[in-house]
Amino acid sequence: KGMNNIGFWVYDKYQTLQEISVVLDENKNLQSHIDELTEENNQLKQDSYELNRLRELYELDQQYAGYSKVGARVIEVTTDNWHSSFKIDKGTDDGLKVDMNVIANGGLVGIISETGSNYSIVKTITENNSNVSGMLIDTNETCIVQGDIELMDTGMIRVSHFKSDVIVRNGDKVVTSNISDKYLQGILIGYVKDVKLDSNNLTQSGYIVPAVDFNNLQEVLVITQLKE
């Protein structure tokens, strides 16, 4: 009887181990299937994000329909962050030239500063000491938009040289002006913030929140017309 009990116990343990082995195999197969579905879901999300970005780029293209453009992808950040310059995958073979304006996300990104046969370097408007002649879209009052390394972490850029008697409100749009030497007129730069009278009592200065999200640039449009 004792031997029989031991035999039954061993047989039960063997059966249990067999069942565990089957369950582990099934679990492994299920986990593999879950991994495949997760990868597929991530790819679908990426495709969805890219589609949304391309839709926004198309809307931007329509917004500036008067200008001919070439689409390009950002392929390399050439400095420590996006706020100085970056490389795109189009160059002279695609008809791009130095000083062509670059736009994305509804506004001005910067200007091409260097070209190769299959790449270009884009200098952004937020780069330190970068200068763009701007104007208020509602009143055409001119100003100077300047990149400042001290503001890079805040995501803002400086604006100055508003006349003392000009009314400037938070949220007012600033676009490139007609007197800019390299930038085409009417491209949205950003939105005014905290403009105050300077110590000389003759001008006003403040900040601009750029229209472009420089931390998430993946595709851009290059306007193929140069400022005359």
Side-chain angles (χ1 to χ4, degrees):
K1 183 177 179 180
M3 292 299 295
N4 282 339
N5 287 336
I6 293 174
F8 287 134
W9 181 84
V10 171
Y11 179 75
D12 287 342
K13 292 298 181 183
Y14 174 77
Q15 287 292 98
T16 301
L17 290 174
Q18 288 290 95
E19 291 172 1
I20 290 174
S21 177
V22 171
V23 169
L24 288 175
D25 287 340
E26 291 177 349
N27 183 64
K28 184 177 180 180
N29 292 333
L30 285 173
Q31 186 61 52
S32 177
H33 187 54
I34 289 172
D35 291 341
E36 291 176 2
L37 290 175
T38 300
E39 183 178 352
E40 183 179 348
N41 186 51
N42 289 337
Q43 185 60 50
L44 288 172
K45 285 183 178 180
Q46 290 178 14
D47 291 344
S48 176
Y49 295 151
E50 183 174 12
L51 179 59
N52 288 334
R53 294 197 310 270
L54 294 177
R55 282 175 176 165
E56 291 174 358
L57 216 58
Y58 174 75
E59 292 174 1
L60 184 62
D61 182 34
Q62 297 304 299
Q63 183 179 345
Y64 297 100
Y67 297 130
S68 57
K69 310 172 199 69
V70 170
R73 292 182 182 275
V74 176
I75 57 174
E76 181 183 338
V77 180
T78 57
T79 56
D80 293 336
N81 55 59
W82 298 88
H83 298 277
S84 183
S85 60
F86 57 85
K87 183 184 290 186
I88 57 176
D89 64 351
K90 297 291 175 66
T92 54
D93 289 349
D94 306 284
L96 302 193
K97 299 178 181 178
V98 171
D99 289 342
M100 284 183 172
N101 294 193
V102 181
I103 58 177
N105 301 142
L108 182 65
V109 173
I111 200 166
I112 291 180
S113 61
E114 178 186 336
T115 56
S117 60
N118 59 357
Y119 76 92
S120 296
I121 302 298
V122 179
K123 174 184 174 182
T124 72
I125 59 173
T126 58
E127 184 179 56
N128 194 41
N129 296 324
S130 171
N131 287 283
V132 182
S133 177
M135 64 182 183
L136 290 174
I137 195 170
D138 295 328
T139 63
N140 292 339
E141 294 290 345
T142 59
C143 60
I144 299 296
V145 180
Q146 299 171 301
D148 189 332
I149 192 171
E150 294 180 359
L151 294 177
M152 282 187 175
D153 291 338
T154 69
M156 294 189 293
I157 47 183
R158 295 193 186 279
V159 62
S160 60
H161 291 79
F162 282 119
K163 293 179 181 178
S164 60
D165 59 347
V166 173
I167 298 175
V168 187
R169 298 174 296 269
N170 282 348
D172 281 351
K173 291 182 180 180
V174 172
V175 299
T176 49
S177 77
N178 58 329
I179 62 174
S180 178
D181 58 343
K182 294 181 179 180
Y183 290 95
L184 299 164
Q185 181 180 349
I187 302 175
L188 179 62
I189 299 174
Y191 308 90
V192 172
K193 182 178 180 181
D194 298 338
V195 170
K196 298 178 181 178
L197 188 65
D198 294 327
S199 58
N200 59 20
N201 294 322
L202 299 175
T203 56
Q204 300 179 77
S205 301
Y207 307 97
I208 283 183
V209 179
V212 174
D213 180 3
F214 286 92
N215 291 316
N216 295 289
L217 283 177
Q218 297 189 52
E219 297 90 13
V220 297
L221 290 177
V222 180
I223 299 176
T224 55
Q225 293 170 240
L226 289 169
K227 182 70 178 287
E228 296 180 356

